[in-house]
């Protein structure tokens, strides 16, 4: 057993790269099976091939789109994007870490997952170097999040076919079954009926996933996060049988949820299938199918910042089409020009716009400037922020809007309108995840103090 595990570890080939980075193609030779299957392919294509993308691709998304690629080929390099995560194919593994982390383990990525998705520390749960366990853990740890999201729509119900044998006919007579069961005739008739029910194929799949996770050492703790939802599922699936698992998986693969209202259940369905099939096939044991889980770094950063400042800022959500704003109105009062500022301050008198940027300070410019200034103009804001991850201890940069024109040679800075690049410092040399958390929580306090100090000096 130990020798077998060691052989698997020895034979496993893992390449680790950073997001938003250029890498020489020669570095990818040992994971050519993965690169051949993902290079220049869109996230939409990869999602259809079995890779789990978080959050779900939505057409109104700005930071991550279905047309985005994980690796883009250009001359002799591969360029990665805003996506982080883990990919597997056979014995090959590709790990994409955050460029803002300089630790042996990607503590920053883990911290974002913990804060935004309430995921346990997956680093502590990995007892060997097999990246399959990390992929599998992430899939299971996402289950409570997606279960809660789906059940906000209520329990999933659909029509199912039930078979009866009784004296009161309320459906279509099943002649073959009637002859088999009711000969000689004793007053009963075999019939089938189509009924609206909560005890259906999808709820059965969710129940099987719950029971599977519950058997893990950390399963009970994980499911406590969604205790009410788990109880609801159990109460709705009275016919649950462990031995039906394969049949339930097959049925759900044949009948994916397509109704737009149940979009969250569609994602949950896919997640449950991946978790249960992982248990049956075990990723990395000779499988010839690309697999993995990917996260949008920009979305994680934006939602993390929302946790820090959400009590004083509105947070329109372009990925969920919530809080949409309009730039213009026509004479007929039609609202056009859809926009989603990241953050709009709740202060109606001294309005402030903030934009979360998952990029270094030197990369914030051009279109970023135009976007925030447009938002500021729309909401009569005199101050704007770019909130970004800072890894080099660079001080905040205050940019004051100019007035005048070079043609009249009267360009001068204004003291009433400004945009500030405000960095939240990311610890770089933590020796453990616990130390990283301690340091970044201290930096969060400093970040909020800096934000409040800037607010007090706003020239109104």
């Amino acid at each position: 057993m130990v020798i077998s595990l060691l052989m698997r570890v020895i034979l496993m080939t893992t390449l680790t790269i950073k997001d938003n980075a250029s890498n020489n193609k020669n570095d990818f030779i040992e994971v050519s099976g993965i690169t051949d299957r993902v290079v220049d392919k869109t996230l939409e294509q990869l999602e259809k091939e079995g890779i789990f993308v978080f959050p779900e691709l939505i057409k109104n998304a700005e930071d991550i789109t279905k047309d985005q690629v994980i690796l883009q080929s250009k001359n002799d390099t591969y360029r990665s994007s805003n996506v982080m995560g883990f990919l597997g194919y056979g014995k090959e593994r590709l790990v994409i870490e955050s460029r803002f982390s300089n630790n042996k383990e990607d503590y920053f990525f883990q911290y974002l997952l913990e804060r935004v998705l309430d995921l346990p520390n997956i680093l502590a749960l990995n007892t060997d170097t097999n990246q399959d366990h990390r992929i599998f853990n992430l899939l299971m740890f996402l289950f409570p999040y997606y279960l809660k999201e789906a059940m906000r729509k209520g329990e999933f119900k659909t029509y199912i076919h039930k078979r009866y044998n009784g004296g009161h006919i309320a459906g279509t007579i099943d002649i073959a079954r009637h002859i088999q069961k009711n000969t000689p005739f004793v007053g009963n008739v075999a019939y089938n009926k189509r009924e609206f029910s909560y005890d259906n194929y999808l709820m059965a799949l969710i129940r099987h996933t719950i029971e599977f996770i519950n058997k893990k050492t950390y399963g009970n703790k994980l499911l406590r996060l969604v205790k009410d939802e788990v109880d609801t599922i159990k109460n709705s699936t009275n016919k649950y049988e462990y031995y039906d698992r394969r049949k339930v998986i097959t049925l759900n693969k044949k009948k994916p949820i397509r109704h737009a209202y149940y979009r969250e259940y569609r994602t949950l369905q896919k997640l449950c299938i991946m978790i249960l099939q992982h248990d049956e096939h075990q990723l990395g044991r000779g499988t010839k199918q690309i697999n993995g889980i990917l996260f949008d770094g920009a979305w994680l950063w934006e939602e993390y910042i929302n946790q820090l400042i959400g009590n004083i800022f509105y947070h329109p959500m372009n990925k969920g089409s919530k809080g949409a704003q309009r730039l213009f109105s026509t004479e007929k009062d039609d609202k056009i020009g859809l926009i989603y500022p990241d953050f709009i301050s709740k202060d109606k008198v001294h309005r402030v716009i903030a934009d979360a940027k998952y990029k270094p300070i030197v990369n914030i410019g051009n279109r970023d400037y135009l976007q925030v200034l447009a938002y500021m103009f729309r909401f009569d804001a005199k101050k704007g922020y770019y909130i970004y991850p800072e890894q080099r201890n660079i001080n905040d940069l205050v940019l004051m809007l100019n007035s005048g024109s070079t043609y009249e040679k009267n360009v001068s800075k204004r003291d009433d309108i400004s945009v500030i690049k405000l960095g939240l410092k990311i610890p770089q040399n933590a020796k453990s995840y616990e130390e990283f958390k301690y340091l970044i929580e201290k930096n969060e306090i400093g970040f909020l103090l800096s934000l409040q100090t800037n607010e007090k000096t706003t020239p109104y």
Side-chain angles (χ1 to χ4, degrees):
M1 179 70 178
V2 174
I3 294 176
S4 175
L5 178 61
L6 288 174
M7 287 299 294
R8 287 186 66 200
V9 172
I10 291 172
L11 295 174
M12 200 77 69
T13 301
T14 301
L15 173 66
T16 301
I17 64 173
K18 298 290 187 180
D19 65 16
N20 290 278
S22 292
N23 303 270
N24 193 291
K25 288 184 177 179
N26 291 331
D27 298 338
F28 291 78
I29 292 176
E30 293 188 343
V31 291
S32 59
I34 292 178
T35 52
D36 289 345
R37 285 158 181 80
V38 304
V39 71
D40 292 329
K41 283 191 177 181
T42 66
L43 288 177
E44 184 178 37
Q45 290 175 303
L46 295 175
E47 198 173 42
K48 290 178 180 177
E49 294 177 14
I51 292 175
F52 197 88
V53 180
F54 185 94
E56 183 186 13
L57 300 176
I58 297 176
K59 62 182 179 181
N60 286 331
E62 292 178 1
D63 296 319
I64 186 171
T65 69
K66 62 184 180 181
D67 296 324
Q68 186 173 327
V69 298
I70 303 174
L71 289 176
Q72 184 177 26
S73 176
K74 189 173 183 181
N75 298 326
D76 60 345
T77 63
Y78 288 132
R79 175 74 187 180
S80 58
S81 63
N82 259 1
V83 176
M84 297 180 283
F86 311 90
L87 295 172
Y89 176 79
K91 298 297 181 182
E92 301 174 6
R93 299 295 172 268
L94 177 62
V95 182
I96 308 175
E97 297 182 336
S98 170
R99 57 182 157 166
F100 296 104
S101 183
N102 193 34
N103 306 102
K104 183 178 180 181
E105 296 280 359
D106 192 353
Y107 296 143
F108 179 50
F109 180 27
Q110 168 59 45
Y111 185 70
L112 291 178
L113 293 177
E114 183 178 341
R115 284 296 301 263
V116 176
L117 303 177
D118 198 24
L119 296 190
N121 180 6
I122 59 169
L123 303 175
L125 293 173
N126 291 327
T127 56
D128 57 48
T129 58
N130 185 0
Q131 293 295 336
D132 288 338
H133 289 291
R134 186 170 297 184
I135 296 172
F136 192 32
N137 286 338
L138 279 170
L139 289 174
M140 285 195 293
F141 296 160
L142 282 173
F143 177 77
Y145 176 90
Y146 276 109
L147 178 62
K148 186 172 291 186
E149 286 290 301
M151 294 200 67
R152 284 175 181 166
K153 294 284 180 70
E155 295 176 70
F156 177 80
K157 56 184 178 180
T158 189
Y159 283 106
I160 65 171
H161 292 279
K162 284 194 173 183
R163 310 200 318 175
Y164 293 95
N165 190 50
H168 301 284
I169 303 174
T172 305
I173 297 176
D174 188 334
I175 296 175
R177 190 161 56 88
H178 175 69
I179 294 173
Q180 180 184 10
K181 288 184 172 294
N182 301 314
T183 303
F185 184 67
V186 291
N188 290 334
V189 176
Y191 65 93
N192 301 327
K193 185 180 179 182
R194 193 166 178 255
E195 296 179 345
F196 220 35
S197 174
Y198 292 112
D199 194 357
N200 52 64
Y201 66 98
L202 177 56
M203 298 293 271
L205 179 73
I206 300 171
R207 174 69 182 275
H208 278 280
T209 309
I210 289 171
E211 297 299 335
F212 172 74
I213 293 175
N214 196 44
K215 291 179 181 178
K216 299 295 180 182
T217 54
Y218 44 82
N220 188 44
K221 180 180 179 181
L222 198 61
L223 294 176
R224 278 204 302 268
L225 299 173
V226 282
K227 182 180 181 303
D228 292 341
E229 289 81 359
V230 168
D231 289 342
T232 299
I233 295 294
K234 288 184 176 181
N235 291 334
S236 299
T237 51
N238 296 320
K239 295 180 181 179
Y240 165 79
E241 290 288 347
Y242 170 78
Y243 299 103
D244 290 338
R245 180 196 290 184
R246 183 167 296 180
K247 181 174 68 176
V248 169
I249 293 173
T250 301
L251 183 58
N252 275 270
K253 290 175 72 174
K254 291 180 178 178
K255 299 176 66 175
I257 304 302
R258 301 189 186 280
H259 198 290
Y261 179 77
Y262 287 118
R263 178 174 54 82
E264 291 82 2
Y265 273 105
R266 181 175 66 233
T267 308
L268 178 61
Q269 181 187 44
K270 180 182 177 182
L271 179 63
C272 289
I273 291 173
M274 292 182 73
I275 291 172
L276 295 176
Q277 283 195 318
H278 183 288
D279 181 50
E280 288 192 351
H281 303 300
Q282 284 296 297
L283 297 174
R285 295 187 179 179
T287 179
K288 290 301 180 182
Q289 181 177 351
I290 190 75
N291 54 71
I293 181 168
L294 300 171
F295 295 85
D296 174 12
W299 183 88
L300 285 173
W301 174 250
E302 182 180 319
E303 294 307 306
Y304 164 57
I305 295 301
N306 182 49
Q307 289 194 0
L308 297 180
I309 68 174
N311 62 322
I312 56 175
F313 281 85
Y314 298 115
H315 179 39
M317 300 174 67
N318 54 358
K319 297 193 188 305
S321 300
K322 298 177 181 178
Q325 307 294 312
R326 301 284 178 173
L327 280 173
F328 308 105
S329 292
T330 66
E331 291 182 354
K332 296 180 180 179
D333 206 30
D334 295 325
K335 303 295 188 294
I336 61 176
L338 185 69
I339 58 171
Y340 289 94
D342 286 349
F343 299 98
I344 307 169
S345 70
K346 296 179 181 179
D347 188 336
K348 297 179 181 179
V349 178
H350 301 150
R351 192 77 80 183
V352 174
I353 297 297
D355 198 20
K357 289 297 180 187
Y358 182 72
K359 58 174 68 175
I361 186 173
V362 294
N363 291 357
I364 300 173
N366 300 327
R367 288 180 60 187
D368 299 323
Y369 294 151
L370 298 177
Q371 184 184 55
V372 165
L373 285 173
Y375 294 160
M376 291 170 62
F377 184 73
R378 162 64 177 82
F379 293 98
D380 294 322
K382 300 293 185 180
K383 179 165 288 188
Y385 289 97
Y386 296 108
I387 302 175
Y388 70 97
E390 174 54 57
Q391 60 183 151
R392 298 180 182 177
N393 291 318
I394 297 177
N395 294 327
D396 302 339
L397 179 62
V398 180
L399 306 173
M400 290 172 280
L401 188 67
N402 282 333
S403 63
S405 166
T406 55
Y407 293 105
E408 286 87 28
K409 298 181 180 180
N410 60 350
V411 176
S412 62
K413 62 184 178 182
R414 298 175 56 168
D415 59 5
D416 61 333
I417 300 178
S418 62
V419 178
I420 300 171
K421 295 183 179 181
L422 181 62
L424 195 162
K425 293 179 173 55
I426 311 301
Q428 297 298 305
N429 299 306
K431 295 181 175 60
S432 67
Y433 182 60
E434 289 69 27
E435 181 183 356
F436 178 89
K437 286 182 65 174
Y438 171 76
L439 292 173
I440 197 169
E441 285 169 0
K442 284 182 60 178
N443 293 346
E444 288 169 356
I445 296 173
F447 164 79
L448 292 173
L449 287 174
S450 181
L451 183 66
Q452 293 169 1
T453 300
N454 280 310
E455 287 300 299
K456 291 177 181 178
T457 58
T458 301
Y460 290 109

